[in-house]
Amino acid sequence: MVEKVIIIGSGPAGYTAAIYAYRDGLDPLLIKGFEAGGQLMLTSAVENFPGFSSILGPDLMEKLYQHAKGLGCRMIDGNVSKVDFSVYPYKLFVDQEQYETYSVVIATGASAKWLGLPNEKRLMGKGVSGCAVCDGFFFKNKDVIVVGGGDSAMEDASYLANMVKSVTVVHRRDSFKASKIMQEKVLNDKRIRVLWNSEVVDILGDTKVSGASVKDLKTGSISKIPVEGVFIAIGHKPNTDVFRGQIDIDKDGYINTNGFTKTSKEGVFCAGDVQDRVYKQAVIAAGWGCMAAMEARKFLAEKKII
Ligand SMILES: Cc1cc2nc3c(=O)[nH]c(=O)nc-3n(C[C@H](O)[C@H](O)[C@H](O)COP(=O)(O)OP(=O)(O)OC[C@H]3O[C@@H](n4cnc5c(N)ncnc54)[C@H](O)[C@@H]3O)c2cc1C
């Protein structure tokens, strides 16, 4: 059997693509991936997804899952381990199982990079965050740390400075690698202090973050900084390794598109964080999922497959 469309990924982009594709009569097959539900499974309250003033990330993803499943979308567990877009219909492999399809929506997301500290995982959603725009609101009038020295760390520090009590940027080197304009914004902002040559070596707190241990990399001394929030802003890794050599991918691993959802391969579309270098928000990922499904439908109609 050749599928009309296979959707890869079960985050907001993948489930939305599935809902649209199903309602368009494409009978989509969705491959959920090892991290079913995607990044929002890692967080607690989500307060910026329209229609929900506050909902737990995993509950929101359960609702999206139930919506797609309730319509009748077919879903399988597992990761796509290999694709072959050089033949048509395209081939996809999940473990040893081979699937054929006339079109594909890639919605494999991007994984936030973390420091790898044991307490970081334990306190995630309880003061540890990977997203200032998502969680900054919860830290009004509180002290926070931002870890990193690139554009996203500068962006997060400037954003947070407008709402929190104090921002301390902790950076391992003696200069930022962010663009000059972003650096200047941070360095000229009196509300932000920078700890150069410093590293967060532990995050403190029982049920929520109460501080961080920061090591001075020049002297080796460790000091405890009382904060209620630790924002990790050391970048994202798009989940695109499996597509390398099959479609155009930029140097950071994001899928290159035509500006919308088309990849460099006809009939292969993408949606969500896997191609989003800027916004990385669930509602936007969902929007891209809708667009990709609509494009897939148009493509299949033009090819007279439907
Ligand atoms: C801690 C945290 C808190 C956040 N809070 C908010 C918030 O409050 N509000 C907000 O709008 N956004 C928030 N975000 C951002 C939001 O989670 C993302 O923008 C959104 O999840 C992106 O959706 P996506 O569908 O593109 O990808 P993802 O959610 O990353 O989902 C990707 C999916 O692809 C699957 N996958 C990956 N590789 C493969 C493969 N090889 N084969 C099959 N499947 C694969 C994964 O299993 C996963 O299901 C937060 C992110 C984090 C990390």
Side-chain angles (χ1 to χ4, degrees):
M1 172 186 174
V2 182
E3 302 287 346
K4 292 190 196 76
V5 59
I6 289 184
I7 296 160
I8 313 174
S10 58
Y15 282 143
T16 306
I19 291 164
Y20 272 77
Y22 188 89
R23 296 182 78 257
D24 272 343
L26 304 184
D27 190 20
L29 175 67
L30 182 137
I31 301 169
K32 287 163 78 178
F34 289 149
E35 280 148 22
Q39 293 171 64
L40 283 186
M41 301 301 284
L42 298 174
T43 195
S44 49
V46 175
E47 299 196 346
N48 54 12
F49 199 89
F52 298 94
S53 53
S54 184
I55 184 167
L56 295 175
D59 290 354
L60 177 58
M61 294 319 299
E62 176 66 18
K63 282 188 185 293
L64 287 176
Y65 164 77
Q66 291 296 347
H67 189 168
K69 191 77 186 166
L71 285 170
C73 290
R74 292 170 298 133
M75 299 186 194
I76 54 173
D77 295 323
N79 256 28
V80 171
S81 53
K82 188 178 157 198
V83 298
D84 186 353
F85 296 157
S86 67
V87 291
Y88 197 72
Y90 300 132
K91 286 185 175 36
L92 277 74
F93 298 83
V94 179
D95 299 325
Q96 301 310 315
E97 204 70 42
Q98 178 186 304
Y99 297 85
E100 288 190 317
T101 182
Y102 291 117
S103 70
V104 179
V105 173
I106 300 173
T108 49
S111 305
K113 292 183 190 162
W114 301 101
L115 300 175
L117 303 170
N119 283 337
E120 177 186 44
K121 204 167 181 184
R122 187 174 60 78
L123 293 167
M124 206 170 279
K126 296 166 189 151
V128 174
S129 172
C131 178
V133 174
C134 314
D135 296 333
F137 189 77
F138 302 124
F139 296 88
K140 272 189 173 173
N141 302 318
K142 295 179 176 168
D143 300 305
V144 304
I145 277 176
V146 172
V147 181
D151 275 346
S152 22
M154 303 299 104
E155 191 90 54
D156 284 4
S158 296
Y159 177 84
L160 290 165
N162 288 320
M163 59 181 73
V164 301
K165 191 159 123 201
S166 77
V167 179
T168 303
V169 176
V170 179
H171 184 45
R172 300 190 57 174
R173 301 181 212 293
D174 59 6
S175 62
F176 290 135
K177 68 171 191 286
S179 58
K180 198 163 173 273
I181 190 161
M182 293 297 297
Q183 290 193 34
E184 280 170 1
K185 211 172 160 197
V186 165
L187 296 171
N188 294 331
D189 192 327
K190 300 253 178 308
R191 300 165 298 180
I192 304 173
R193 74 165 173 154
V194 181
L195 294 181
W196 301 107
N197 302 301
S198 298
E199 188 178 37
V200 171
V201 290
D202 199 5
I203 299 173
L204 312 170
D206 292 332
T207 52
K208 57 183 183 142
V209 170
S210 60
S213 296
V214 177
K215 184 176 184 180
D216 183 321
L217 294 173
K218 282 199 162 159
T219 64
S221 67
I222 294 178
S223 49
K224 285 187 181 156
I225 304 184
V227 288
E228 289 179 65
V230 177
F231 287 84
I232 316 293
I234 54 176
H236 284 76
K237 184 185 181 304
N239 300 315
T240 49
D241 287 352
V242 72
F243 308 110
R244 280 193 186 278
Q246 303 283 331
I247 51 172
D248 275 3
I249 290 172
D250 77 8
K251 65 174 179 29
D252 297 318
Y254 289 95
I255 297 176
N256 281 327
T257 63
N258 67 340
F260 294 99
T261 60
K262 287 182 185 164
T263 70
S264 56
K265 197 80 191 175
E266 191 190 44
V268 179
F269 304 91
C270 64
D273 283 12
V274 73
Q275 50 80 59
D276 183 348
R277 296 155 187 80
V278 184
Y279 303 106
K280 299 186 178 75
Q281 292 294 290
V283 65
I284 294 175
W288 282 110
C290 156
M291 287 155 66
M294 290 173 77
E295 288 294 335
R297 193 199 167 281
K298 197 166 150 224
F299 167 78
L300 293 168
E302 280 166 6
K303 279 253 174 202
K304 303 208 183 317
I305 291 165
I306 55 170

mmCIF file of all heavy atoms in Angstrom, residues 45-68:
data_model
loop_
_atom_site.group_PDB
_atom_site.id
_atom_site.type_symbol
_atom_site.label_atom_id
_atom_site.label_comp_id
_atom_site.label_asym_id
_atom_site.label_seq_id
_atom_site.Cartn_x
_atom_site.Cartn_y
_atom_site.Cartn_z
ATOM 1 N N ALA A 45 2.931 24.373 33.284
ATOM 2 C CA ALA A 45 1.822 25.195 32.788
ATOM 3 C C ALA A 45 2.152 25.861 31.447
ATOM 4 O O ALA A 45 3.226 26.431 31.271
ATOM 5 C CB ALA A 45 1.477 26.256 33.816
ATOM 6 N N VAL A 46 1.206 25.760 30.535
ATOM 7 C CA VAL A 46 1.268 26.509 29.272
ATOM 8 C C VAL A 46 0.137 27.524 29.339
ATOM 9 O O VAL A 46 -1.020 27.149 29.528
ATOM 10 C CB VAL A 46 1.071 25.566 28.061
ATOM 11 C CG1 VAL A 46 1.007 26.343 26.764
ATOM 12 C CG2 VAL A 46 2.178 24.518 28.014
ATOM 13 N N GLU A 47 0.482 28.801 29.204
ATOM 14 C CA GLU A 47 -0.548 29.838 29.374
ATOM 15 C C GLU A 47 -0.675 30.739 28.157
ATOM 16 O O GLU A 47 -1.206 31.842 28.244
ATOM 17 C CB GLU A 47 -0.240 30.671 30.633
ATOM 18 C CG GLU A 47 -0.243 29.809 31.893
ATOM 19 C CD GLU A 47 -0.337 30.606 33.183
ATOM 20 O OE1 GLU A 47 -0.143 31.834 33.142
ATOM 21 O OE2 GLU A 47 -0.610 29.978 34.227
ATOM 22 N N ASN A 48 -0.111 30.265 27.034
ATOM 23 C CA ASN A 48 -0.177 31.122 25.845
ATOM 24 C C ASN A 48 -0.683 30.377 24.619
ATOM 25 O O ASN A 48 -0.506 30.835 23.503
ATOM 26 C CB ASN A 48 1.200 31.749 25.564
ATOM 27 C CG ASN A 48 2.283 30.692 25.460
ATOM 28 O OD1 ASN A 48 2.008 29.509 25.380
ATOM 29 N ND2 ASN A 48 3.538 31.131 25.473
ATOM 30 N N PHE A 49 -1.323 29.234 24.825
ATOM 31 C CA PHE A 49 -1.934 28.542 23.689
ATOM 32 C C PHE A 49 -3.397 28.984 23.642
ATOM 33 O O PHE A 49 -4.143 28.743 24.601
ATOM 34 C CB PHE A 49 -1.818 27.021 23.866
ATOM 35 C CG PHE A 49 -2.008 26.268 22.583
ATOM 36 C CD1 PHE A 49 -0.934 25.994 21.745
ATOM 37 C CD2 PHE A 49 -3.268 25.841 22.189
ATOM 38 C CE1 PHE A 49 -1.103 25.306 20.550
ATOM 39 C CE2 PHE A 49 -3.455 25.157 20.993
ATOM 40 C CZ PHE A 49 -2.375 24.882 20.182
ATOM 41 N N PRO A 50 -3.811 29.656 22.559
ATOM 42 C CA PRO A 50 -5.156 30.230 22.536
ATOM 43 C C PRO A 50 -6.232 29.207 22.885
ATOM 44 O O PRO A 50 -6.184 28.053 22.457
ATOM 45 C CB PRO A 50 -5.305 30.701 21.087
ATOM 46 C CG PRO A 50 -3.900 30.945 20.641
ATOM 47 C CD PRO A 50 -3.064 29.905 21.338
ATOM 48 N N GLY A 51 -7.170 29.658 23.693
ATOM 49 C CA GLY A 51 -8.272 28.784 24.080
ATOM 50 C C GLY A 51 -8.065 28.157 25.442
ATOM 51 O O GLY A 51 -9.000 27.610 26.023
ATOM 52 N N PHE A 52 -6.828 28.226 25.948
ATOM 53 C CA PHE A 52 -6.534 27.652 27.263
ATOM 54 C C PHE A 52 -5.831 28.711 28.107
ATOM 55 O O PHE A 52 -4.685 29.069 27.807
ATOM 56 C CB PHE A 52 -5.608 26.439 27.131
ATOM 57 C CG PHE A 52 -6.208 25.323 26.325
ATOM 58 C CD1 PHE A 52 -5.956 25.222 24.966
ATOM 59 C CD2 PHE A 52 -7.047 24.400 26.925
ATOM 60 C CE1 PHE A 52 -6.524 24.209 24.213
ATOM 61 C CE2 PHE A 52 -7.619 23.383 26.187
ATOM 62 C CZ PHE A 52 -7.361 23.288 24.823
ATOM 63 N N SER A 53 -6.500 29.223 29.138
ATOM 64 C CA SER A 53 -5.817 30.241 29.949
ATOM 65 C C SER A 53 -4.661 29.617 30.716
ATOM 66 O O SER A 53 -3.651 30.252 30.943
ATOM 67 C CB SER A 53 -6.805 30.916 30.898
ATOM 68 O OG SER A 53 -7.478 29.935 31.644
ATOM 69 N N SER A 54 -4.811 28.352 31.092
ATOM 70 C CA SER A 54 -3.694 27.620 31.694
ATOM 71 C C SER A 54 -3.961 26.129 31.551
ATOM 72 O O SER A 54 -5.037 25.642 31.894
ATOM 73 C CB SER A 54 -3.546 27.992 33.173
ATOM 74 O OG SER A 54 -2.403 27.353 33.704
ATOM 75 N N ILE A 55 -2.954 25.431 31.033
ATOM 76 C CA ILE A 55 -3.090 23.973 30.876
ATOM 77 C C ILE A 55 -1.703 23.365 30.986
ATOM 78 O O ILE A 55 -0.706 23.978 30.546
ATOM 79 C CB ILE A 55 -3.766 23.626 29.517
ATOM 80 C CG1 ILE A 55 -3.992 22.112 29.415
ATOM 81 C CG2 ILE A 55 -2.982 24.159 28.328
ATOM 82 C CD1 ILE A 55 -4.917 21.688 28.274
ATOM 83 N N LEU A 56 -1.614 22.184 31.585
ATOM 84 C CA LEU A 56 -0.316 21.520 31.662
ATOM 85 C C LEU A 56 0.092 21.076 30.257
ATOM 86 O O LEU A 56 -0.757 20.607 29.477
ATOM 87 C CB LEU A 56 -0.375 20.319 32.602
ATOM 88 C CG LEU A 56 -0.644 20.650 34.074
ATOM 89 C CD1 LEU A 56 -0.800 19.371 34.897
ATOM 90 C CD2 LEU A 56 0.484 21.518 34.648
ATOM 91 N N GLY A 57 1.381 21.196 29.960
ATOM 92 C CA GLY A 57 1.876 20.805 28.635
ATOM 93 C C GLY A 57 1.426 19.399 28.234
ATOM 94 O O GLY A 57 0.847 19.214 27.144
ATOM 95 N N PRO A 58 1.636 18.381 29.091
ATOM 96 C CA PRO A 58 1.218 17.024 28.707
ATOM 97 C C PRO A 58 -0.297 16.915 28.495
ATOM 98 O O PRO A 58 -0.750 16.151 27.637
ATOM 99 C CB PRO A 58 1.673 16.169 29.903
ATOM 100 C CG PRO A 58 2.830 16.933 30.483
ATOM 101 C CD PRO A 58 2.476 18.381 30.309
ATOM 102 N N ASP A 59 -1.090 17.694 29.243
ATOM 103 C CA ASP A 59 -2.552 17.652 29.052
ATOM 104 C C ASP A 59 -2.941 18.246 27.697
ATOM 105 O O ASP A 59 -3.846 17.751 27.018
ATOM 106 C CB ASP A 59 -3.274 18.415 30.175
ATOM 107 C CG ASP A 59 -3.174 17.686 31.511
ATOM 108 O OD1 ASP A 59 -2.655 16.550 31.522
ATOM 109 O OD2 ASP A 59 -3.582 18.256 32.533
ATOM 110 N N LEU A 60 -2.252 19.317 27.317
ATOM 111 C CA LEU A 60 -2.527 19.931 26.013
ATOM 112 C C LEU A 60 -2.213 18.930 24.898
ATOM 113 O O LEU A 60 -2.992 18.758 23.957
ATOM 114 C CB LEU A 60 -1.699 21.215 25.846
ATOM 115 C CG LEU A 60 -1.831 21.936 24.501
ATOM 116 C CD1 LEU A 60 -3.268 22.323 24.198
ATOM 117 C CD2 LEU A 60 -0.938 23.181 24.472
ATOM 118 N N MET A 61 -1.085 18.236 25.036
ATOM 119 C CA MET A 61 -0.702 17.285 23.996
ATOM 120 C C MET A 61 -1.659 16.086 23.965
ATOM 121 O O MET A 61 -1.932 15.539 22.901
ATOM 122 C CB MET A 61 0.749 16.830 24.187
ATOM 123 C CG MET A 61 1.765 17.953 23.976
ATOM 124 S SD MET A 61 1.394 19.051 22.582
ATOM 125 C CE MET A 61 1.437 17.916 21.202
ATOM 126 N N GLU A 62 -2.159 15.704 25.133
ATOM 127 C CA GLU A 62 -3.155 14.616 25.169
ATOM 128 C C GLU A 62 -4.424 15.043 24.404
ATOM 129 O O GLU A 62 -5.013 14.258 23.673
ATOM 130 C CB GLU A 62 -3.476 14.262 26.637
ATOM 131 C CG GLU A 62 -4.557 13.221 26.840
ATOM 132 C CD GLU A 62 -4.195 11.821 26.324
ATOM 133 O OE1 GLU A 62 -2.992 11.552 26.116
ATOM 134 O OE2 GLU A 62 -5.136 11.014 26.121
ATOM 135 N N LYS A 63 -4.789 16.327 24.559
ATOM 136 C CA LYS A 63 -5.982 16.824 23.846
ATOM 137 C C LYS A 63 -5.756 16.796 22.334
ATOM 138 O O LYS A 63 -6.648 16.426 21.568
ATOM 139 C CB LYS A 63 -6.321 18.244 24.305
ATOM 140 C CG LYS A 63 -7.035 18.269 25.662
ATOM 141 C CD LYS A 63 -7.539 19.654 26.000
ATOM 142 C CE LYS A 63 -8.135 19.688 27.396
ATOM 143 N NZ LYS A 63 -9.378 18.900 27.515
ATOM 144 N N LEU A 64 -4.551 17.211 21.912
ATOM 145 C CA LEU A 64 -4.257 17.185 20.472
ATOM 146 C C LEU A 64 -4.263 15.742 19.957
ATOM 147 O O LEU A 64 -4.786 15.450 18.879
ATOM 148 C CB LEU A 64 -2.903 17.850 20.192
ATOM 149 C CG LEU A 64 -2.872 19.367 20.316
ATOM 150 C CD1 LEU A 64 -1.470 19.909 20.122
ATOM 151 C CD2 LEU A 64 -3.782 20.001 19.279
ATOM 152 N N TYR A 65 -3.668 14.850 20.757
ATOM 153 C CA TYR A 65 -3.640 13.425 20.381
ATOM 154 C C TYR A 65 -5.074 12.893 20.236
ATOM 155 O O TYR A 65 -5.422 12.268 19.233
ATOM 156 C CB TYR A 65 -2.862 12.627 21.430
ATOM 157 C CG TYR A 65 -3.090 11.138 21.370
ATOM 158 C CD1 TYR A 65 -2.469 10.359 20.387
ATOM 159 C CD2 TYR A 65 -3.939 10.511 22.274
ATOM 160 C CE1 TYR A 65 -2.700 8.993 20.318
ATOM 161 C CE2 TYR A 65 -4.170 9.153 22.215
ATOM 162 C CZ TYR A 65 -3.556 8.395 21.234
ATOM 163 O OH TYR A 65 -3.793 7.045 21.167
ATOM 164 N N GLN A 66 -5.918 13.180 21.258
ATOM 165 C CA GLN A 66 -7.287 12.674 21.242
ATOM 166 C C GLN A 66 -8.074 13.239 20.063
ATOM 167 O O GLN A 66 -8.901 12.548 19.472
ATOM 168 C CB GLN A 66 -8.009 13.017 22.562
ATOM 169 C CG GLN A 66 -7.489 12.265 23.780
ATOM 170 C CD GLN A 66 -7.701 10.758 23.685
ATOM 171 O OE1 GLN A 66 -8.435 10.270 22.846
ATOM 172 N NE2 GLN A 66 -7.015 10.016 24.558
ATOM 173 N N HIS A 67 -7.794 14.494 19.725
ATOM 174 C CA HIS A 67 -8.476 15.119 18.593
ATOM 175 C C HIS A 67 -8.159 14.351 17.303
ATOM 176 O O HIS A 67 -9.060 13.943 16.556
ATOM 177 C CB HIS A 67 -8.043 16.590 18.482
ATOM 178 C CG HIS A 67 -8.821 17.397 17.493
ATOM 179 N ND1 HIS A 67 -8.747 18.761 17.420
ATOM 180 C CD2 HIS A 67 -9.681 17.031 16.504
ATOM 181 C CE1 HIS A 67 -9.526 19.195 16.447
ATOM 182 N NE2 HIS A 67 -10.105 18.174 15.880
ATOM 183 N N ALA A 68 -6.862 14.134 17.071
ATOM 184 C CA ALA A 68 -6.446 13.439 15.842
ATOM 185 C C ALA A 68 -6.920 11.986 15.857
ATOM 186 O O ALA A 68 -7.462 11.482 14.866
ATOM 187 C CB ALA A 68 -4.926 13.510 15.697
#
